[in-house]
């Protein structure tokens, strides 16, 4: 039986060591198959088969974190649709020290801090001696971490003042001051050790502080504890910025909506909307739900969701997205999704899930850190005891150096170096309409050196347009108006193109009588007093002779990959209308950008050779035409056997085999289910140039990761040497740890300012 996946929001998880402790603690429980924890997203996914979820909640709460269920319980191996999390679990696990019963009546229950989809399972009891991992939506200075750091800072200042007046009590005063911060740190160390993480940063910090007190450095120990708490606070602020960069998208959706009922409107909470509800959106307002336009026409600014800078024209039948801004006209819209499943909600959910998917570099560093920390503990112990035992050196001096080495050796900065950059890269990509599903995909994109595109709907618009009108008799507008009259009752894509061109030119379409379709040939009817026929050149030639000049024009248009329709009136050729599915406006620029990066480009299409070659010539791309889905998959395999890393870009449906076979499958779409749920990545607003932007973002992110790793290891190496030769001590050691973590996180956050 496949494992079930349950997702949780974890409150107060702000550093890499937090994630490692939680992951280790939960993984040890019976029935838990796998655990994925994302620091930047503040989420945890547990794959389990019969595990006690209440015990999972208690274990996380015991470490000092808040845990809230998210409504995404799924069958891991089946792709079954999400089922909502349970509404409220009455077997609550309360924070440490909570030993009393609770009234679970929902009367007067405060849901303001709860997830809208499920009530909190665990909320640790607030305590001045907790990890201060209690989340809050307010400013950072109102958090538990900030309060604890301020209390310890004030106690340290008081200790310095009292020590000046009572020097004999100086050691005891500083011991009392450091106890305010060290007790919660030590408690966390014990809980982490019991949960399977004996070598946590809290453990190293506790040993270092107690050791410093033993050798008479209580004043310095108190200062180090304070600096440690300040460092944790800074980590939390930095992590919060990364987390909020993607969650801020949810703020784009308005809180209220105008529901149309019984000829009037009333204001309702946007989260109460259901599929099928009709809403009115006035000019300048944000659209509260994904939907389709019922009445009205105007432009919608989709930049907040897709990054598209030019407003998009909308009319009846067109799709609109929650969070976008209505332009100059009132629109009546029918909701097509629930609030929890609109485009923004899905993007946020998918990006947070992607942050739980670790990149290969991140997995390697995690494995390295598990061995690195015990090694540092052993090395610190050797530094503390070997010189005094073997060489007669002073015990206090070398114990002091060993304690400093413990703090220098903490792997926090190294462990956070990769996920912080990955999270920032995923977030900035999502803001620009580039949805990348996980660190592994983001890392693989850097290696791509060949991109294979589908044609229809990917390199082209996916719908034909009128490109040429050639009138043999009369003028172009008259020819187009007559053709539109014949097509007025048809829904064929070519008919829609002709009708759309006539509307764009503002032509009056005359009425038609006796209209009918001739299967495989064309359409006919009477307009005015003339009997008209509009159809293929072959069908037209069978009804009326075409001159050599007219036939040559048809041949030239066909050679350009265009479909030609011939209009006959009373047995005489009146003119030609040529149509083609035209390349996207930025397709040539997108292909050129990939080529400039040394990336090979190909078009893989099931369309005919002539049309494909014409489009390929316009775009300057290698063409393989007349392909079945299996042929596309085979070609992807051939490219990979040549040593190429291949990205396949398509619509996510008929290209599914090739998307699955490629190193990275990229779906092209406008926020649809296909674009969001299939392939490894999605270009939400359908720009070909965004494929190159996605690869460039990957390269920038991996460059940032390499900088972070160099920074983390470099600082530790410098302070290791300076500590051993006696130039630095406990203060610089803790700064080397927390300072490196903050620097690494801040460097990763630079990616958030990148223009993807």
């Amino acid at each position: 039986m496949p494992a079930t996946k349950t997702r949780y929001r974890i409150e107060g998880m702000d550093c890499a060591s937090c994630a490692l402790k939680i992951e280790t603690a939960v993984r040890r429980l019976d029935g838990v198959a796998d655990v994925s924890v994302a620091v930047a997203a503040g989420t945890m996914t547990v794959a389990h088969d019969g595990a006690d979820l209440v015990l999972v909640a208690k274990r996380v709460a015991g470490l000092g974190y808040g845990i809230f269920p998210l409504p995404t319980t799924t069958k891991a191996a089946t792709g079954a649709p999400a089922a909502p999390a349970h509404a409220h679990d009455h077997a609550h696990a309360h924070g440490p020290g909570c030993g009393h019963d609770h009234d679970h009546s929902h009367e007067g229950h405060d849901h303001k801090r709860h997830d809208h989809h499920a009530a909190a399972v665990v909320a640790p009891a607030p305590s001045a001696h907790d990890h201060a991992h209690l989340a809050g939506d307010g400013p950072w200075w109102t958090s538990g971490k900030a309060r604890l750091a301020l209390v310890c800072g004030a106690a340290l200042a008081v200790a310095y003042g009292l020590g000046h007046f009572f020097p004999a009590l100086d050691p005891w005063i500083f011991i009392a001051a450091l106890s305010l911060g060290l007790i919660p740190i030590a408690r966390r160390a014990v809980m982490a050790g019991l949960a399977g993480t004996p070598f946590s940063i809290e453990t190293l910090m506790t040993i270092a502080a107690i050791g410093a007190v033993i050798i008479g450095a209580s004043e310095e120990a108190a200062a180090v504890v304070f600096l440690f708490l300040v460092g944790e606070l800074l980590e939390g602020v930095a992590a919060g910025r990364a987390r909020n960069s993607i969650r801020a998208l949810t703020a784009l959706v308005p809180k209220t909506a105008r529901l149309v009922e019984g000829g009037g409107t009333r204001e309702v909470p946007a989260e109460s909307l259901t599929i099928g509800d009709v809403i009115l959106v006035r000019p300048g307002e944000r659209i509260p739900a994904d939907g389709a336009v019922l009445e009205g026409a105007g432009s919608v600014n989709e930049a907040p969701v897709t990054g598209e800078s030019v407003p998009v024209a909308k009319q009846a039948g067109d799709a609109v997205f929650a969070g976008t801004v209505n332009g100059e006209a009132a629109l009546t819209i029918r909701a097509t999704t629930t609030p929890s499943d609109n485009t923004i909600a899905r993007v946020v959910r998918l990006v947070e899930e992607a942050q739980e998917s670790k990149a290969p570099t991140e997995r390697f560093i995690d494995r390295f850190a598990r061995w690195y920390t015990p090694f540092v503990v052993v090395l610190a112990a050797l530094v503390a005891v070997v010189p005094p035992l073997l060489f007669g050196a002073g015990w206090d001096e070398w114990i002091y150096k060993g304690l400093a080495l413990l703090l220098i050796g903490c792997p926090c900065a190294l462990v956070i170096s990769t996920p912080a950059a990955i999270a920032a890269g995923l977030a900035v990509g999502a803001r620009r309409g580039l949805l990348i599903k996980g660190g592994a995909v983001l890392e693989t994109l850097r290696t791509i050196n060949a991109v294979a595109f589908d044609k229809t709907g990917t390199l082209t618009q996916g719908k034909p347009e009128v490109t040429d009108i050639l009138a043999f008799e009369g003028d172009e507008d008259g020819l187009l108006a007559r053709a539109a009259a014949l097509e007025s009752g048809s829904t064929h894509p070519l008919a829609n193109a002709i009708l759309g061109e006539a509307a764009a030119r503002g032509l009056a379409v005359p009425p038609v009588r006796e209209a009918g379709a001739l299967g495989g040939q064309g359409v006919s009817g009477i307009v005015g007093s003339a009997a008209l026929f509009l159809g293929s050149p072959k069908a037209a030639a069978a009804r009326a002779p075409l001159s050599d000049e007219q036939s040559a024009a048809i041949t030239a248009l066909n050679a350009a990959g265009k479909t030609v329709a011939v209009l006959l009136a009373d047995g005489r050729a009146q003119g030609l209308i040529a149509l083609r599915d035209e390349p996207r406006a930025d397709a040539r620029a997108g292909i050129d950008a990939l080529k400039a990066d040394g990336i090979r480009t190909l078009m893989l299409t099931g369309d005919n050779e002539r049309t494909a070659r014409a489009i390929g010539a316009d775009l300057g791309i290698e063409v393989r035409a007349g392909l079945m889905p299996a042929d596309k998959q085979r070609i992807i395999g051939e490219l990979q056997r040549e040593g190429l890393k291949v990205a396949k870009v398509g619509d996510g449906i008929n290209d599914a085999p090739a998307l699955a076979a490629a190193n990275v499958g990229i779906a092209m779409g406008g926020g649809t289910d296909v674009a969001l749920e299939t392939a490894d990545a999605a270009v939400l607003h359908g720009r070909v140039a965004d494929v190159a932007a996605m690869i460039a973002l990957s390269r920038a992110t991996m460059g940032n990761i390499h900088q972070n790793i160099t920074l983390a290891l470099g600082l530790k190496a410098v302070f290791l040497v300076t500590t051993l030769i006696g130039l630095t001590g406990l203060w610089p050691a803790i700064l080397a740890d927390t300072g490196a973590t903050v620097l690494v996180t801040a460097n990763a956050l630079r990616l958030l300012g990148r223009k993807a």
Side-chain angles (χ1 to χ4, degrees), residues 146-496:
R147 291 195 298 271
L148 185 57
L150 289 172
V151 167
C152 289
L156 183 61
V158 170
Y160 274 113
L162 292 176
H164 179 73
F165 294 105
F166 307 101
L169 299 177
D170 195 75
W172 301 105
I173 294 172
F174 281 103
I175 289 173
L178 76 86
S179 296
L180 290 175
L182 186 59
I183 289 175
I185 293 171
R187 176 189 165 280
R188 286 151 44 195
V190 171
M191 296 301 295
L194 293 174
T197 309
F199 297 107
S200 64
I201 176 58
E202 289 84 4
T203 301
L204 303 185
M205 184 67 228
T206 302
I207 294 172
I210 293 174
V213 170
I214 291 173
I215 63 173
S218 56
E219 177 180 339
E220 192 167 1
V224 166
V225 168
F226 170 66
L227 289 174
F228 174 78
L229 294 172
V230 171
E232 278 202 326
L233 175 61
L234 293 176
E235 288 174 20
V237 172
R241 277 197 59 197
R243 191 172 298 148
N244 292 337
S245 66
I246 188 64
R247 289 189 189 167
L249 284 173
T250 59
L252 296 174
V253 181
K255 302 298 183 185
T256 60
R258 287 189 181 85
L259 184 65
V260 178
E261 284 182 333
T265 64
R266 66 183 178 93
E267 196 168 273
V268 299
E271 63 183 19
S272 69
L273 294 175
T274 60
I275 295 174
D277 281 348
V278 177
I279 51 180
L280 175 68
V281 183
R282 294 173 179 170
E285 295 180 342
R286 290 190 183 271
I287 295 172
D290 285 3
V293 177
L294 293 179
E295 296 179 9
S299 62
V300 172
N301 179 7
E302 296 185 345
V305 175
T306 67
E308 178 61 62
S309 58
V310 179
V312 179
K314 300 290 182 180
Q315 57 186 1
D318 288 343
V320 292
F321 306 128
T324 55
V325 182
N326 187 21
E328 65 278 358
L331 297 178
T332 302
I333 297 166
R334 183 182 299 278
T336 56
T337 66
T338 60
S340 62
D341 200 39
N342 64 40
T343 298
I344 288 179
R346 281 181 289 161
V347 167
V348 171
R349 184 165 64 247
L350 287 168
V351 170
E352 289 187 342
E353 290 172 356
Q355 290 174 355
E356 294 169 4
S357 173
K358 294 185 177 180
T361 300
E362 184 177 356
R363 289 196 296 268
F364 169 77
I365 288 177
D366 282 350
R367 291 194 301 270
F368 174 76
R370 293 182 190 276
W371 291 98
Y372 168 81
T373 307
F375 169 76
V376 167
V377 172
V378 172
L379 179 61
L382 292 175
V383 167
V385 302
V386 169
L389 287 177
L390 298 185
F391 305 106
W395 280 98
D396 284 359
E397 177 188 354
W398 285 96
I399 288 176
Y400 182 88
K401 289 180 179 180
L403 296 175
L405 186 58
L406 279 180
L407 300 180
I408 293 170
C410 174
C412 281
L414 181 62
V415 173
I416 199 65
S417 60
T418 300
I422 291 288
L426 294 174
V428 73
R431 290 209 315 264
R432 304 296 176 185
L434 311 177
L435 183 61
I436 302 170
K437 297 184 179 179
V441 178
L442 185 59
E443 186 167 333
T444 302
L445 278 165
R446 174 180 61 98
T447 67
I448 293 299
N449 49 21
V451 178
F453 291 90
D454 183 31
K455 180 182 78 71
T456 305
T458 299
L459 289 174
T460 66
Q461 297 287 351
K463 55 183 179 180
E465 298 177 355
V466 173
T467 59
D468 303 89
I469 300 176
L470 181 59
F472 302 148
E473 297 181 5
D475 58 17
E476 290 185 4
D477 285 353
L479 175 67
L480 182 61
R482 284 181 159 189
L486 292 178
E487 297 285 20
S488 58
S490 175
T491 58
H492 190 279
L494 296 181
N496 290 337

